[in-house]
Amino acid sequence: MTVRELPSPTLDDAVGWTRTHLGDLVCDDVAASRSFVGGQTAADTALATYDVRGYAARRNQVFPVSARGASRLSPFIRHGLLTLPRVWDHVADGPSRDVAKFRDELLWQEYARHLYARTGGTSRSLRYGVREHGGAARRESGMACMDVVRDELLHDGWLVNQTRMWFASHWTVRLGNGWRDGEDHFFAHLLDGSRAANRLGWQWTVGAGTGKPYGFSRWQVEKRAPELCAGCELRLACPVQQWPDDVELVAAAPVPGVVRDPAPVETRGPSQPVVTASADAVWLTAESLGDDDPALVAYPDLPAVFVFDEPLLSRLSLSGKRLVFLAQALADLAERREVRILRGDPVEALADRAVATTYAPVPGWTTRATRVAPVSVHPWPWLVEPHSGSAASFTAWRRAARV
Ligand SMILES: Cc1cc2nc3c(=O)[nH]c(=O)nc-3n(C[C@H](O)[C@H](O)[C@H](O)COP(=O)(O)OP(=O)(O)OC[C@H]3O[C@@H](n4cnc5c(N)ncnc54)[C@H](O)[C@@H]3O)c2cc1C
């Protein structure tokens, strides 16, 4: 596969740039998210203007939009533009109930990362398999509650947690479709799409970890977004008027690493920089694009290199808005540092360079880094140290982590 160097995008032309250079790798017409711009500058602004007050009461609110308590920080957290420790500290002065609830959610993100890393990114059901009866007609058409999810997913690339659960439950528990297909659909469009949190969210919804599926019915919509039901053409024939039937769960063989991590040191990655030679560039990954990426900080004078992984992207067939978000992040960084952008297989693209990089707790990083052989690897900024205790549930993981 050939490796090509691409010119740098600008913030103003990130859409055109993505269309020209990456348009053949995406599943739709390239467009920017309707409501998010990528980059450290946008991330810093989002964090500086975020006030946690009212979070506990309003985090589940869906409509009106002005009543939502969600922070909308997830796309920046996903790509390391905001680290979990930084976001954790930012809310320190808020009302204690809101701070506690918000920090619980940050811990859910950290739990998802630990679980994903220690199970090697498996897509197996954690503890319970779900019998799919599949093929049911996708009866969300005409339902205002599902139409709004589809619209926000496709055009914003972001959903509040509540509507993610509605959609995932409707897709699986009621319609009997497979959770992995639903997960892939979300992953293609969500700007915060990560296998770690997305997979956990879908598994949690179908009850694959807890044995208790999340049921979705009109009741939640009336409670969290009453205006949707009021204006819905199906309000007198609502397909989700009643709770869904129980789904059949079957005990699945335990996934190695869930109950006990035999190698927490490997899950963790290095706790100190591991430097074997001098570096000539900093390899940035989509996990860690922030100015405070530890390798970028350690080498302030080296150029940053980012590789659009062509084999991976052609397999994933993501929405263009996800790549526009990344292009915006690189354009923003290029205003402060030299940034080189390549397209191809990262292993080939980096073969003749001595790179410094930051460890990322995802199997794809390990696979590539083993072959790229960076000369300098920097620690991942964990919020909670990985431990060997149980991660069979959030509560068990948290207890073992003593947080
Ligand atoms: C089916 C499904 C799929 C999901 N897919 C993703 C995904 O791909 N990426 C992703 O980051 N989150 C995912 N989530 C979790 C959650 O919905 C989003 O993190 C949250 O809605 C992001 O919005 P926010 O930043 O306003 O969150 P806030 O409510 O403001 O929370 C602050 C931060 O805490 C973390 N967080 C909050 N809730 C959760 C949660 N349930 N699990 C893990 N972390 C959480 C996120 O980092 C979030 O940015 C999914 C949830 C479900 C039910």
Side-chain angles (χ1 to χ4, degrees):
M1 175 171 293
T2 51
V3 174
R4 278 192 279 147
E5 174 139 14
L6 306 179
S8 260
T10 63
L11 271 173
D12 290 341
D13 189 34
V15 173
W17 183 92
T18 304
R19 195 176 289 131
T20 304
H21 299 291
L22 306 169
D24 57 314
L25 299 175
V26 300
C27 65
D28 52 12
D29 285 340
V30 175
S33 159
R34 193 165 54 186
S35 50
F36 288 89
V37 175
Q40 189 67 60
T41 307
D44 290 345
T45 305
L47 188 64
T49 52
Y50 177 60
D51 183 352
V52 75
R53 187 176 302 275
Y55 179 79
R58 294 189 291 112
R59 63 179 281 268
N60 287 321
Q61 201 57 34
V62 179
F63 279 107
V65 170
S66 58
R68 289 180 179 176
S71 69
R72 296 164 48 93
L73 295 174
S74 55
F76 306 114
I77 292 174
R78 159 67 182 94
H79 292 293
L81 294 156
L82 298 175
T83 63
L84 289 177
R86 185 175 167 204
V87 178
W88 179 278
D89 290 346
H90 173 81
V91 297
D93 296 335
S96 55
R97 182 162 166 261
D98 296 318
V99 172
K101 191 69 207 151
F102 185 77
R103 286 180 168 174
D104 274 358
E105 300 307 325
L106 298 181
L107 288 172
W108 269 98
Q109 181 71 208
E110 185 74 336
Y111 168 57
R113 290 175 175 181
H114 282 210
L115 189 61
Y116 187 69
R118 56 152 74 186
T119 56
T122 182
S123 61
R124 281 172 51 190
S125 285
L126 288 175
R127 291 161 79 195
Y128 298 92
V130 184
R131 277 199 219 288
E132 295 160 15
H133 48 87
R138 290 181 49 186
R139 276 172 290 161
E140 73 263 30
S141 180
M143 294 165 64
C145 51
M146 288 297 118
D147 286 349
V148 86
V149 178
R150 201 171 28 238
D151 177 71
E152 292 190 346
L153 181 64
L154 297 187
H155 299 293
D156 298 324
W158 183 82
L159 298 167
V160 290
N161 184 61
Q162 183 74 193
T163 59
R164 294 180 201 224
M165 295 194 301
W166 295 358
F167 184 93
S169 178
H170 192 65
W171 175 283
T172 53
V173 176
R174 197 177 289 269
L175 299 185
N177 296 311
W179 67 261
R180 292 174 190 81
D181 296 334
E183 190 216 330
D184 283 345
H185 181 55
F186 265 20
F187 187 77
H189 290 279
L190 288 172
L191 300 184
D192 64 28
S194 74
R195 289 297 185 194
N198 194 22
R199 198 160 280 173
L200 181 66
W202 281 86
Q203 293 223 27
W204 184 89
T205 305
V206 297
T210 58
K212 282 182 274 174
Y214 170 82
F216 167 59
S217 76
R218 182 173 185 157
W219 184 83
Q220 284 102 324
V221 189
E222 294 278 15
K223 183 163 181 207
R224 304 292 181 194
E227 67 197 64
L228 290 182
C229 288
C232 181
E233 63 185 68
L234 294 176
R235 65 187 173 281
L236 300 179
C238 176
V240 296
Q241 184 73 37
Q242 309 298 333
W243 293 103
D245 295 337
D246 288 344
V247 289
E248 203 180 336
L249 297 172
V250 284
V255 172
V258 171
V259 174
R260 185 176 163 274
D261 187 352
V265 174
E266 278 173 34
T267 301
R268 186 207 192 289
S271 51
Q272 298 293 326
V274 178
V275 181
T276 51
S278 66
D280 58 28
V282 176
W283 172 31
L284 286 185
T285 67
E287 313 300 319
S288 185
L289 287 174
D291 283 11
D292 54 3
D293 169 77
L296 269 188
V297 171
Y299 296 92
D301 301 324
L302 291 186
V305 182
F306 183 86
V307 187
F308 281 95
D309 186 335
E310 188 173 325
L312 178 72
L313 290 172
S314 42
R315 200 168 66 241
L316 292 175
S317 191
L318 302 177
S319 164
K321 60 191 166 295
R322 290 204 68 172
L323 302 193
V324 170
F325 188 85
L326 295 179
Q328 290 166 335
L330 295 168
D332 183 61
L333 179 63
E335 291 180 358
R336 295 176 296 285
R337 303 217 17 167
E338 183 188 350
V339 178
R340 314 273 304 266
I341 303 179
L342 306 171
R343 170 182 163 157
D345 179 335
V347 175
E348 286 173 38
L350 301 173
D352 56 355
R353 290 173 199 258
V355 293
T357 195
T358 299
Y359 167 80
V362 294
W365 182 89
T366 306
T367 314
R368 287 167 187 78
T370 305
R371 296 175 59 209
V372 168
V375 295
S376 175
V377 180
H378 293 257
W380 176 257
W382 293 105
L383 179 62
V384 174
E385 281 290 305
H387 57 70
S388 58
S390 178
S393 69
F394 176 65
T395 312
W397 169 83
R398 200 173 170 168
R399 197 180 306 120
R402 299 201 176 88
V403 285

